[in-house]
Amino acid sequence: MLNTAAIVALMKNSGLFSVTDLNIQTIGQLFSLASQFKHSFVRHKQFLRRNESLSYKSVALVFFESSTRTRFSFEMACNRLGIRPVTFIANSTTSIKKGETALDTLLNLHAVQPDAFIIRSDEDEGVREFFKTSQKPCISAGYGKFHHPTQALLDAFTIKERLGEIKGKKIVFIGDVRHSRVAHSNKSLLLALGAEVAICSPKDFMPSPSEWGEVENFEQLTSALDWCDVAMSLRVQKERHSTKADLSNFIQNYQLNKKSIGSLSDKAIIMHPGPFVVDEEITRDIVKDSRTVIHQQVENGVYVRAALLQKVLGDR
Ligand code: NCD
């Protein structure tokens, strides 16, 4: 269940760690603002609702893990709103290389007084602690295996845009669900918005019921695709595996390709949070399929993240 006290938290501009920090009303407000940004950008190539007070704000983007879409779209959202983003990437040119912890790095960046933080990291207790204690709002750009709230928001926004509504829609997560923070955050958000969710995964990639609850698992990809309105393909997250995955079995039974998607309805959509690995979970045919909305998801990421930044920073 979504936390009903959360709107108060978000109103106090304390940021966003997990989708459970959101309630239905806040999600509605974010989607409506994101739509306004999208419409004004499509028509006028700028965000007409731009709040001038944001021009004096600076936001620290702190990435302890690699990222392409999430970082770029947060930076683009800042730019379109007039916010100044300052990006820190924990690579070999930073003091992380010298042994500084993620928490100490964050506390030092905090001392420089950005107005907010956008942070991506693995499951690091120090980073979690920073989210709880920072005086500035912190937005998660992905944390460990379970949290990626802004990806879930932009995916839900895209489903609503393409299918008209989320309530009653059937979404199946295909592939490495166990290690996917995208699937985990999406599942919580979509259930709260009235969707039905299921998975289609080999045994090694199935999430534990204690983490996911009792969610239907389709053994056959054909049945999953026949059932769903949305097929969300997931990358095999090798960097999170403790043992080597059986890729050939995965490709044979769970890959989305021209042949395997035969039972998917013409009205259904195919999603992927990216990055996709061609010829593993998905083939080039699928990337090009007219039902595929991968680039629409990425584009919507800018509007949804801008809406969140506006909400978190706009009244400060
Ligand atoms: C994902 C992530 O980092 O969790 N990508 C993203 O942010 N869009 C998924 C992945 O790495 O496979």
Side-chain angles (χ1 to χ4, degrees):
M1 272 307 288
L2 291 184
N3 175 359
T4 44
I7 189 157
V8 181
L10 207 65
M11 285 305 189
K12 279 199 283 178
N13 301 325
S14 56
L16 178 63
F17 178 74
S18 161
V19 288
T20 55
D21 294 336
L22 296 162
N23 72 8
I24 306 291
Q25 193 186 349
T26 310
I27 296 163
Q29 290 167 351
L30 290 172
F31 284 3
S32 143
L33 194 50
S35 280
Q36 289 174 39
F37 284 149
K38 183 162 189 172
H39 285 125
S40 65
F41 190 75
V42 169
R43 252 180 256 135
H44 310 288
K45 292 285 164 249
Q46 57 176 306
F47 289 179
L48 289 183
R49 273 205 49 166
R50 187 171 143 176
N51 179 339
E52 288 311 320
S53 70
L54 292 177
S55 326
Y56 301 101
K57 308 287 186 194
S58 63
V59 168
L61 282 89
V62 187
F63 279 68
F64 296 106
E65 277 188 346
S66 55
S67 173
T68 299
R69 281 145 289 273
T70 306
R71 181 167 69 81
F72 201 70
S73 72
F74 263 119
E75 284 183 354
M76 194 57 97
C78 287
N79 275 292
R80 299 253 162 87
L81 289 170
I83 297 170
R84 286 162 235 209
V86 185
T87 299
F88 171 94
I89 299 171
N91 59 27
S92 60
T93 66
T94 70
S95 296
I96 292 282
K97 174 94 176 4
K98 299 178 183 170
E100 187 168 70
T101 66
L103 176 59
D104 283 316
T105 297
L106 284 165
L107 292 172
N108 278 276
L109 300 180
H110 194 273
V112 180
Q113 303 280 333
D115 295 292
F117 283 86
I118 294 163
I119 305 168
R120 166 171 286 196
S121 86
D122 61 8
E123 213 149 332
D124 181 308
E125 267 312 307
V127 174
R128 185 75 190 90
E129 190 55 33
F130 185 79
F131 266 87
K132 288 188 191 143
T133 54
S134 165
Q135 315 256 306
K136 307 288 179 186
C138 296
I139 297 172
S140 167
Y143 176 89
K145 281 187 295 182
F146 297 114
H147 301 287
H148 201 343
T150 61
Q151 181 71 40
L153 283 167
L154 75 90
D155 287 339
F157 181 84
T158 306
I159 294 171
K160 189 164 187 289
E161 182 174 71
R162 286 300 283 236
L163 302 181
E165 58 184 334
I166 294 169
K167 200 170 166 40
K169 294 291 181 260
K170 296 171 176 162
I171 292 97
V172 64
F173 300 101
I174 303 159
D176 190 0
V177 180
R178 176 181 291 180
H179 304 97
S180 171
R181 56 191 173 203
V182 173
H184 197 266
S185 289
N186 259 298
K187 183 260 299 173
S188 303
L189 188 69
L190 291 168
L191 284 177
L193 294 173
E196 284 181 54
V197 303
I199 63 176
C200 180
S201 302
K203 208 161 171 291
D204 288 350
F205 294 169
M206 274 166 60
S208 80
S210 65
E211 288 156 357
W212 263 65
E214 295 299 332
V215 169
E216 175 157 19
N217 178 37
F218 285 98
E219 279 178 24
Q220 300 292 327
L221 181 59
T222 320
S223 322
L225 296 178
D226 184 42
W227 172 83
C228 74
D229 301 297
V230 178
M232 189 178 293
S233 173
L234 301 166
R235 183 176 66 87
V236 179
Q237 316 235 330
K238 299 180 198 90
E239 72 279 16
R240 299 191 194 283
H241 295 176
S242 46
T243 53
K244 206 164 181 290
D246 181 355
L247 268 188
S248 60
N249 167 56
F250 174 76
I251 290 170
Q252 201 181 335
N253 296 303
Y254 299 91
Q255 182 188 70
L256 295 190
N257 56 49
K258 210 171 184 167
K259 198 162 153 245
S260 73
I261 62 158
S263 62
L264 187 70
S265 145
D266 286 346
K267 292 194 190 118
I269 57 171
I270 301 168
M271 303 180 83
H272 194 304
F276 54 76
V277 181
V278 174
D279 294 336
E280 273 189 21
E281 75 277 16
I282 200 166
T283 58
R284 187 65 67 192
D285 294 328
I286 302 301
V287 178
K288 291 184 184 157
D289 192 286
S290 59
R291 291 165 287 186
T292 297
V293 298
I294 295 176
H295 292 142
Q296 194 178 335
Q297 289 171 260
V298 179
E299 182 189 350
N300 286 340
V302 179
Y303 309 123
V304 169
R305 288 175 172 130
L308 182 63
L309 284 165
Q310 165 85 64
K311 195 152 174 49
V312 167
L313 279 172
D315 307 320
R316 283 176 84 80

